[in-house]
């Protein structure tokens, strides 16, 4: 069943809870389609008065901020062994190359990596835990987390909702295009990250070979 069609069958309160939960778990570090759920829910709100876009945006924002905060706490306590464990459980998302790419982003951009990481599908699952592992000062993380959560979750809800209002008659027939666009954006960003991660992994292997030969 289409995501939006399925959302139409559940009460508004359940939609708010689902959006907050999925985005929260994704921000915590569990690979879930938070962006797809958010976009579909915002489109649904634009076509059905039962769903309040303000409450929806607040639920998404709360889930993003709380999830990232929990991820930070877990990462700070678990450290490197946590990343190794995640790599075993989710090798496609937490491979050595992906982690190396994310670490370089944190080293280069600091708290801005947390902020802008909200807008990249794959980096959303890294931001909180990795910030904790790298022991980023909490006040820096909190500022970037709150601002990024508000702008991404609240902003996405607002933009998709008002686009739906303006083009309501068109979206009633082609609402799936919004979902397809979100998926394409997410896939594109993921492919870019994967390409960088693969290059980072190859660089690490190339650096390790001379060391192994010397031993």
């Amino acid at each position: 069943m289409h995501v939006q069609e399925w959302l139409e069958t559940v009460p508004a309160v359940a939609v708010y809870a689902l959006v907050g939960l999925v985005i929260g778990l994704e921000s915590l570090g569990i690979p879930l389609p938070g962006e797809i759920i958010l976009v579909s829910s915002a489109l649904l709100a634009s076509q059905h008065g039962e769903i309040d876009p303000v409450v929806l945006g607040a639920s998404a924002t709360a889930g993003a901020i709380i999830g990232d905060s929990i991820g930070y706490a877990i990462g700070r306590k678990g450290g490197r062994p946590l990343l190794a464990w995640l790599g075993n459980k989710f090798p496609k998302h937490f491979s050595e190359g992906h982690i190396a790419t994310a670490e370089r982003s944190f080293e280069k951009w600091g708290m801005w990596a947390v902020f802008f990481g909200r807008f990249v599908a794959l980096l959303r699952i890294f931001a909180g835990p990795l910030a904790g592992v790298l022991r980023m000062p909490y006040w820096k993380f909190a500022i970037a987390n709150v601002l990024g959560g508000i702008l991404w979750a609240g902003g996405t809800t607002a933009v998709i909702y008002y686009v739906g209002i303006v083009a309501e008659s068109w979206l009633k027939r082609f609402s799936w295009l919004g979902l397809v666009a979100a998926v394409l954006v997410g896939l594109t960003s993921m492919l870019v990250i994967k390409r960088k991660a693969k290059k980072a992994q190859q660089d690490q292997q190339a650096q390790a070979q001379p060391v192994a030969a010397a031993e």
Side-chain angles (χ1 to χ4, degrees), residues 6 15 26 28 36 63 78 98 135 154 182 199:
W6 179 79
V15 173
E26 182 190 39
L28 191 152
I36 293 176
H98 288 168
R135 296 192 173 276
K199 186 177 184 300

Side-chain angles (χ1 to χ4, degrees), residues 3-69:
V3 175
Q4 191 170 339
E5 292 176 351
W6 179 79
L7 287 172
E8 290 177 354
T9 66
V10 298
V13 174
V15 173
Y16 304 145
L18 177 66
V19 169
L21 179 63
V22 172
I23 290 177
L25 291 175
E26 182 190 39
S27 300
L28 191 152
I30 300 175
L32 290 174
E35 190 169 49
I36 293 176
I37 292 294
L38 180 58
V39 169
S40 297
S41 300
L43 281 173
L44 185 62
S46 71
Q47 300 169 34
H48 298 275
E50 295 84 1
I51 298 177
D52 188 329
V54 175
V55 178
L56 179 64
S59 299
T61 301
I65 294 172
I66 294 172
D68 240 18
S69 298

Side-chain angles (χ1 to χ4, degrees), residues 59-136:
S59 299
T61 301
I65 294 172
I66 294 172
D68 240 18
S69 298
I70 296 174
Y72 175 89
I74 293 174
R76 193 173 181 88
K77 185 175 181 179
R80 294 283 176 179
L82 173 65
L83 295 181
W85 180 83
L86 288 171
N88 292 329
K89 293 293 183 181
F90 306 102
K92 291 184 178 180
H93 296 87
F94 290 93
S95 66
E96 291 182 5
H98 288 168
I99 293 174
T101 300
E103 282 184 323
R104 282 204 302 272
S105 298
F106 272 74
E107 290 171 0
K108 184 176 182 180
W109 302 106
M111 62 186 291
W112 291 109
V114 177
F115 178 84
F116 288 112
R118 281 285 177 202
F119 301 88
V120 181
L122 191 59
L123 287 182
R124 271 198 300 277
I125 66 175
F126 280 110
L130 192 55
V133 169
L134 298 178
R135 296 192 173 276
M136 175 183 290

